Each structure stands twice: as structure tokens, then as C-alpha cells.
Amino acid sequence: MSGTFLGMPGGFPANAAVAVQDSQLRYNLRKATHTIRGKRVKAVEELPDWMELRAAGKAIKDHTLRHLDRYLLQMEEAVTRAGGTVHWARDAAEANRIVTDLVKATGEREVVKVKSMATQEIGLNEHLAAEGITAYETDLAELIVQLGEDFPSHFLVPAIHRNRSEIREIFLGKMAEWGRPAPPDLTDDPPALADAARLHLRERFLASKVAVSGGNFMIAETGTLVVLESEGNGRMCLTLPETLISVVGIEKLLPTWRDLEVFLQLLPRSSTAERMNPYTSTWTGSAEGQDFHLVLLDNGRTGVLADEVGRQALRCIRCSACLNVCPVYERTGGHAYGSVYPGPIGAILTPLLRGFDTELDASLPYASSLCGACFDACPVAIDIPEVLVDLRAKVPHGRVERAGMKVAGWVLNNEVRLAKAQRLATRFRKLVPKRLPGPLSAWTDTRDLPDIPEESFRDWWERTRRSERSGRPRNEGGRGVSEER
Amino acid sequence: MRVALFITCVNDTLFPGTGKAVVSLLRRLGCDVDFPAAQTCCGQMHVNTGYRDEGVRLARHFTEVFAGYDAIVAPSGSCAAMVREQYPKLVQPGSRGAAAVAEVAPKVYDLSEFLLDVLKIDDVGAYFPHRVTYHPTCHSLRSLHLGERPTRLLRNVRGLELIPLGGADECCGFGGTFAVKNPAVSAAMCADKVRNVLDTGAEVLCAADNSCLMHIGGTMKRQRTGVRIMHLAEILAATEER
Ligand code: SF4
């Protein structure tokens, strides 16, 4: 994946510890996520057959992923037949090289961009910049992020961590460097901010000859690409320039237009809480007279496909519902996840795609309390907690922790050992310090420990049962004692 | 009907009062409960922290110990969910112990499920004249789908005033080892939970899981809020005589 975020030192806990201290960020995030949360629930409750739709979405994606080889070839053939060119990119480097070469072949030095996760994943903008090509983001929030020399922190609202007065500052300070300056009397009134962005971007749309996009869906039967957006900037990028290059992950396929129908219901309601998406653009090959190139991106996806538990992550339609309901994301924001994919889906998708090589990636499967809110909200029923727990079993564990868990497992697997440990704790109960040492100090930093009781439950049971006259033998149901193992 | 109590290792060691409350409550309702002494732990901490092999061993031990009972009652939504929802995935079908899991796991009930769905009792005859708010812990809510069961039981407790908790369905930030592995986020989540609890003006915070209560209660105690934590079983066991 891209090097964009990799510069961050320390794992998720360290990033998160910094983020939770930022009260402005916490306020912005809380306000934004809670607003969208309530709206999403309403939009979903409106449909009596939501659970059926969700099951259909899951089934369609699972079927497509099962037969991805076949559908990809069908897609390639259909795009080619319609006059487009299909390129296959194994990884980020290959995809970047393909796009750069295509842009260079046009002789242009500038491209306009439709918001796309895939191009962020491969770090395309940075790569193009190194080759002397400037990529202009045209989605309002992406524009804010780009002007602010910042990273996106949410799928849908990449500048969710910014409030309007911060945005005004960014526009006033930076717009002039990239094109038409912001009006000097700009206020932080949202319509005024949107107006400034509109004027700034419109010049760019009219001047640009090359556009780069991603794609929400690809329809294999006709070779059609589908982009959903809500500002109309996408429509301009997709239609005005002479050359269009779309970089799309191979998991974005759907077999037919009928399948798309399900997702055109699931996606808007889950992401923006709208009944219908405002701008849905579809195009097939070079039908509109454009020179069209499709770059099919693997970049770790076939590896994920081979992972029996993890492969369900490839069903993701990037609606961001899981981010919006996540109590961890709400407190940390997206940057702490160190990837273009933040929140619950990021905590599984990032390590699935790029492994556990960095401290950060190895810590992501633990960036969750397993509360399950993400699974409930996901429109394609990705059991994120299940994948998190599975990844935790695969990630290398620290030596100290491993030893501790082994001892705990040994004690807990035998009632005699457990009873002995409990009696030991009871005996020294008065000696337990208020603050624990080592990694356990993380508990006592903010919480008191519970008092250790004078007697464990099992000892109480044993003692009171003995004094009872009842002759009925206990434990008749199961085995009375366990064997050593 | 042969009923077993699965106390859970946390309750056994740290909250024996909850176990005693379950025993006295069920006896009062005419249900004799057995305590298979060989029981230990459901293995949730190990599995959720990434130590699956230890978890599988504990799961096999659990199903051996509790084989043959008609119902297994646990005063913990989280541990009940672990056994009923996670065991069938953990001990893969076809592997050793899978048949025992298929036999035992569906018979595990959280206390409120056992009272309402098995015994069909929604008024346990309890008396507890205090202002109480209820936190419906995540696994009770989203794994077991306990829904209104615990609050239905609480509403029928004489003298008890149940005050709704704001942001009730939000996680308290415990999450087992999450509390230690991501302490900053865990504490931030708990701070919001505590604020919501204090806003209710309740004297007692009740839940069906002592682990979450230990986390929220430990924070409230550190802040000297004066709000008490009590497991649902302890409130339901309380009567006018005691
Ligand atoms: S994992 Fe599910 S909820 Fe999260 S972004 Fe993907 S589709 Fe949406």
C-alpha cells in the first residue's frame, strides 16, 4: 500500500493516545458521527425489507468473489469490445507506473481527480507529483484535505476532522497556490465556503484534458463502470476531459445490472442516509468518444481472497457506516489507523492487504473493543469482530504476553489449580497495591481495582454444601473432576 | 429439569456475591441449581486476545463439565454469548469435541433469558427501593440479543425506580484486554459512559456483566462519584426480608 501514512511511529495505541487528547478533534468527530448515525438508522428503518436486501448484497458479493476469475475476464472483454483498454496491475508500483505512462502519453502535466480510495491506497498523487504531474482533487472534502496538506480521515467525509472555521483558514491560505484564490472576504458560512470551492474548481474542470477516477462498481456483463457521488464534480471529471483513466480494485465487480439495483439501495442509505444517490454516473468503454483506460488493481486482494475468514472484507462497498457507529473511531479519528482505510473496516482490511510487518499494522486487529456495532451496521454483513479475532490469532504476540497467557491458560484449564490461585489471591488480598505495575498499570491509571473477596464462590459453595444435610450427590450432571492435561 | 450454574471465572474469583444471588434467587423460584465443581473459564479472554489453542482447550473442558444438563445459567451475557455463539465456530465441525459443543452450547442461557424464556417468570418478587439505571452491555445487546428482558425484570421489582441511561447502547470501553491494550481510548469511552450514568442521578448502575461493571465501577470509584454497581442478579435476589 501507499507510503503516505507509513511515516507514523508507534502502533495504534500510541496514535490513539495522542488523538484522544485533541478536544477539538473529539468534538468535531462526535458531532459528525452522531448526526449521521441517527440519520442512517432512520433511512434503514424506512425499508421493511432491509435485512433481505442486506442478505442479497452479501450473497451477490460472495458469488462474484467465488467466480472472480471468470467475471474479470468477462469485464475485460466487454470493456475492450466497447473501445476501452484494460490494464492489469499486480501491485501499487505497477498501477502507478501504468497511470503515469498513460498521462505522459497525452503530453499533459495536470489531471483532475474524482475522489477514489484505490488511488489513495496506491499513493498515486504522490507518485504523479514525483513525475512532475499535478493531480487536482475535485471532491470538496478531498480538496480541503489536499489544500491543508493533510490526510483523509473518513471514506465519505475525508475532512471530518476539520470544522468550518478551520476550512476557511485553509481556503484563504492555500487556494491561491493551486489556482483561483479564495475571495478575501470569505466567511465560514457553509454556502460561502462551497461557493469559493465551486469557483476554484470550475476553472480546473474546463481546462483539464485528463481525469483519473476510481469506481464504486463494475458491471461485468456490459463492461460498465459506476461512480456514485453527491457533488457533481465527478460527473464533470468523467465527461469533460478527453482521456479518462479509472483505477479500480478487482473486488468491485458485479455480474449484472440487476445486481447493481441492490447496491444502489444499500449504499446511499448506509453512507449518506439518503434514499437515492444524487449523482450516479455510468459509462462503458469509449462510447462517449473519450479515450478510456481501466486499470484493474490487485495490490494484495487475491491474498485476501485466499483467507477463508478474512475474504469477507472484500465485500466492503466503502459506505463508512461502520466508521460512524464505531466508539473507537469516534474517539481517535481516522489518522490513528495509519491507512486510507480507517475505522473497523480499516482495522481488518489494512493488515489483510499489507500484513503485520509494521508495529502499526500488527496493532490494528486490537483497535477494537469487539462491541459489534460495526457488524450490525454493515450493509453487506461483514462480521468485522470475527475477522478481528481471527487476525489476533495470526498476528505475532509479544514474549511477555505469550508467557502470561500460557500461565493463565494452564491455571484456568483445571479447577484445582484455579481454586489454589484464588486462595492465594484471597490470602494476600490486603497486599494488592492500588496501582499495578507493568502493562497492568494501564488498568489502575484511571480505575480502582475491585476488592478481592474473602472467599471465592466455589469455596463458599463447597463450605455451605458440606454443612447441608442433603445427601444428594452433587455434580451428577457432568464429570465431577477434570483430568490433568 | 437439571439446571447448572456456570459462575464464570471472573465472578467466581472477584464477585462471589453475584453467584450467591443467583443461587438464592433460583431457589426462591423453586429451581434447584447445581454447581459442577470442575468448571473453570469459558476461554473468551484467550480467544479474543488471539490465543485460540488455549481457548479451544477451555471450550472442550467446558462442554465436558456441563454435559447432561438441561439448562446452564450464567450471570454474564458476555460469557453466555461466548459459549453459545462462538464455540460452534471455535471448535470446528468435524473436529474433536464438536459434537459436544453442538449438544451443550444451545443450552447456555444468560440469567434473564433463563428467567423469562425457560421459567417464564417476569416478576421474581424482588424488592429494591432505589433509583437504578441499566447498562445493556454490548454482548448482551448485540450477540445474545437480550433486548428488553433485563429491563422487564427490573420494572417488576417493587420500589425500584428505573431511569433510562443516555447512549445506553454505546460500548463502555472494557472489551477484555482492550482496556489494557488501548487504555487511552478505553478510558475516553468510559468517561462518556460515566457522564451518562451521572446524568441519570441513579444511586445504582446495574448490568448483566460484572466485567463491564468492574471497569465502569472502577472508574466511578476513582472519581468518587458515590454511584454503586450491582449485577442484575443481586437486585433480583433482594427481598423485603433482607
Ligand atoms: S465494512 Fe461494511 S459498513 Fe464498513 S464501510 Fe465496508 S460496507 Fe460499509
Side-chain angles (χ1 to χ4, degrees):
Chain A
M1 268 163 113
S2 125
T4 319
F5 292 89
L6 287 180
M8 294 188 181
F12 181 84
N15 294 349
V18 176
V20 296
Q21 297 301 327
D22 185 339
S23 53
Q24 178 73 62
L25 176 73
R26 286 268 299 276
Y27 175 82
N28 293 358
L29 280 168
R30 187 182 162 79
K31 196 157 174 245
T33 55
H34 280 248
T35 312
I36 187 84
R37 243 180 242 184
K39 285 194 194 162
R40 187 195 68 88
V41 169
K42 273 203 205 106
V44 164
E45 277 174 352
E46 251 181 31
L47 291 188
D49 61 346
W50 181 258
M51 291 316 269
E52 282 88 353
L53 269 173
R54 185 178 188 242
K58 171 181 187 282
I60 293 168
K61 281 279 184 183
D62 280 346
H63 165 85
T64 318
L65 290 167
R66 177 79 187 75
H67 303 286
L68 197 57
D69 50 346
R70 176 150 62 81
Y71 288 121
L72 279 169
L73 292 176
Q74 191 186 2
M75 179 75 195
E76 179 184 37
E77 199 203 300
V79 170
T80 313
R81 209 185 318 122
T85 312
V86 176
H87 309 259
W88 300 82
R90 182 168 296 127
D91 52 22
E94 210 166 80
N96 283 328
R97 205 192 59 236
I98 293 167
V99 177
T100 310
D101 289 349
L102 288 170
V103 177
K104 281 188 175 163
T106 66
E108 293 295 317
R109 292 263 148 222
E110 293 177 355
V111 301
V112 278
K113 278 192 70 201
V114 189
K115 177 177 160 33
S116 129
M117 306 296 305
T119 58
Q120 283 171 12
E121 177 188 319
I122 60 173
L124 179 66
N125 290 10
E126 294 75 14
H127 186 87
L128 288 175
E131 299 277 339
I133 300 162
T134 312
Y136 293 93
E137 293 291 347
T138 64
D139 171 87
L140 177 55
E142 291 291 352
L143 175 71
I144 296 164
V145 168
Q146 186 172 48
L147 294 179
E149 292 166 26
D150 195 0
F151 298 124
S153 66
H154 191 279
F155 294 161
L156 182 72
V157 263
I160 194 169
H161 55 289
R162 299 285 198 190
N163 63 20
R164 58 193 205 186
S165 67
E166 291 176 284
I167 295 168
R168 173 180 171 270
E169 295 297 317
I170 292 170
F171 279 9
L172 281 174
K174 292 284 178 179
M175 259 186 182
E177 288 175 29
W178 289 78
R180 184 185 170 119
D185 57 349
L186 182 66
T187 67
D188 66 2
D189 196 26
L193 293 172
D195 236 16
R198 191 174 287 123
L199 291 170
H200 176 82
L201 288 169
R202 189 140 298 176
E203 286 188 359
R204 190 65 58 201
F205 290 131
L206 294 172
S208 295
K209 301 255 188 318
V210 183
V212 176
S213 87
N216 292 93
F217 304 100
M218 301 187 283
I219 303 171
E221 65 174 348
T222 53
T224 304
L225 274 101
V226 185
V227 161
L228 279 72
E229 40 114 12
S230 46
E231 294 168 14
N233 65 301
R235 180 70 54 87
M236 299 235 203
C237 291
L238 297 168
T239 51
L240 289 173
E242 291 159 12
T243 302
L244 173 60
I245 304 163
S246 301
V247 182
V248 188
I250 53 173
E251 82 282 20
K252 298 281 166 203
L253 269 176
L254 295 177
T256 67
W257 281 83
R258 283 193 56 156
D259 300 319
L260 179 66
E261 178 259 355
V262 172
F263 293 94
L264 289 185
Q265 296 188 68
L266 287 175
L267 183 49
R269 285 180 196 261
S270 301
S271 80
T272 45
E274 286 167 309
R275 292 181 175 136
M276 202 180 147
N277 181 65
Y279 291 89
T280 304
S281 301
T282 68
W283 71 97
T284 307
S286 294
E288 319 288 330
Q290 260 175 340
D291 188 15
F292 173 64
H293 296 268
L294 172 61
V295 182
L296 291 170
L297 178 71
D298 185 325
N299 206 28
R301 285 158 176 77
T302 45
V304 183
L305 201 53
D307 181 325
E308 277 178 40
V309 179
R311 66 168 66 123
Q312 56 185 310
L314 295 179
R315 293 202 294 261
C316 176
I317 53 174
R318 315 275 189 264
C319 72
S320 67
C322 61
L323 277 64
N324 296 331
V325 298
C326 178
V328 176
Y329 176 87
E330 180 191 329
R331 270 94 188 171
T332 65
H335 294 160
Y337 294 81
S339 154
V340 288
Y341 304 115
I345 182 64
I348 60 172
L349 194 56
T350 305
L352 281 169
L353 286 173
R354 55 186 199 200
F356 303 123
D357 291 346
T358 66
E359 188 185 351
L360 177 72
D361 292 356
S363 70
L364 285 175
Y366 294 94
S368 164
S369 64
L370 304 178
C371 84
C374 48
F375 177 34
D376 272 9
C378 179
V380 285
I382 300 172
D383 191 340
I384 294 177
E386 180 189 31
V387 182
L388 285 167
V389 169
D390 188 62
L391 288 169
R392 291 177 186 186
K394 292 171 179 161
V395 75
H397 300 129
R399 210 160 33 84
V400 177
E401 186 190 280
R402 217 166 49 225
M405 293 301 262
K406 264 225 134 57
V407 173
W410 183 76
V411 171
L412 287 172
N413 202 18
N414 178 283
E415 71 281 3
V416 179
R417 291 194 284 257
L418 175 58
K420 277 189 189 147
Q422 286 168 335
R423 277 177 219 132
L424 204 67
T426 305
R427 188 132 120 242
F428 295 108
R429 56 200 278 264
K430 298 278 180 242
L431 300 179
V432 175
K434 259 193 114 50
R435 308 273 166 151
L436 293 177
L440 293 176
S441 65
W443 180 273
T444 48
D445 279 349
T446 57
R447 316 161 186 93
D448 279 0
L449 285 168
D451 296 326
I452 295 176
E454 284 176 40
E455 182 181 45
S456 70
F457 177 81
R458 69 177 62 237
D459 280 353
W460 170 81
W461 177 271
E462 202 38 53
R463 185 169 57 77
T464 51
R465 248 15 53 156
R466 231 185 285 130
S467 60
E468 267 179 25
R469 273 159 303 147
S470 152
R472 197 161 81 83
R474 294 278 141 192
N475 308 326
E476 57 197 357
R479 286 183 331 146
V481 281
S482 77
E483 295 148 11
E484 293 278 329
R485 66 200 71 209
Chain B
M1 186 171 53
R2 304 189 34 242
V3 181
L5 168 65
F6 168 41
I7 182 70
T8 81
C9 63
V10 169
N11 288 327
D12 183 9
T13 311
L14 293 173
F15 303 99
T18 298
K20 295 176 198 170
V22 176
V23 173
S24 91
L25 170 67
L26 291 182
R27 287 205 174 147
R28 194 173 79 213
L29 299 173
C31 176
D32 196 19
V33 54
D34 197 6
F35 178 77
Q39 64 178 281
T40 54
C41 161
C42 67
Q44 176 166 210
M45 176 185 74
H46 280 95
V47 172
N48 284 356
T49 312
Y51 296 81
R52 189 174 279 162
D53 294 348
E54 275 86 357
V56 171
R57 272 198 284 279
L58 289 166
R60 291 206 181 107
H61 180 76
F62 182 98
T63 49
E64 282 168 21
V65 170
F66 286 97
Y69 285 99
D70 300 309
I72 301 143
V73 187
S76 161
S78 192
C79 301
M82 174 67 194
V83 177
R84 214 168 69 200
E85 309 297 320
Q86 303 304 319
Y87 274 15
K89 287 189 213 164
L90 181 68
V91 183
Q92 302 247 314
S95 72
R96 185 167 72 82
V101 166
E103 168 73 25
V104 172
K107 294 180 182 149
V108 174
Y109 299 92
D110 167 72
L111 176 66
S112 66
E113 288 176 316
F114 183 71
L115 293 173
L116 285 157
D117 303 352
V118 181
L119 297 184
K120 314 261 184 232
I121 298 174
D122 68 356
D123 185 346
V124 297
Y127 172 75
F128 190 74
H130 297 282
R131 288 196 314 278
V132 175
T133 191
Y134 183 78
H135 169 52
T137 61
C138 300
H139 292 171
S140 302
L141 197 66
R142 284 179 280 263
S143 273
L144 285 186
H145 301 283
L146 289 188
E148 297 289 310
R149 287 183 188 83
T151 43
R152 247 177 83 194
L153 291 161
L154 285 173
R155 283 212 176 82
N156 288 328
V157 172
R158 265 160 289 292
L160 186 147
E161 187 192 341
L162 184 65
I163 309 168
L165 178 65
D169 59 354
E170 285 169 38
C171 178
C172 69
F174 172 62
T177 44
F178 174 77
V180 201
K181 281 182 176 276
N182 276 288
V185 188
S186 172
M189 286 160 72
C190 197
D192 291 340
K193 183 59 74 185
V194 168
R195 191 159 27 78
N196 280 323
V197 171
L198 296 182
D199 283 349
T200 64
E203 303 156 68
V204 175
L205 170 67
C206 173
D209 241 304
N210 276 328
S211 309
C212 308
L213 282 178
M214 174 172 76
H215 162 72
I216 310 170
T219 305
M220 293 199 299
K221 205 165 159 206
R222 176 65 57 86
Q223 297 176 3
R224 298 178 196 282
T225 59
V227 179
R228 270 193 298 157
I229 52 165
M230 272 177 95
H231 191 281
L232 179 67
E234 291 163 31
I235 292 182
L236 297 182
T239 55
E240 244 150 314
E241 293 88 63
R242 313 194 302 145

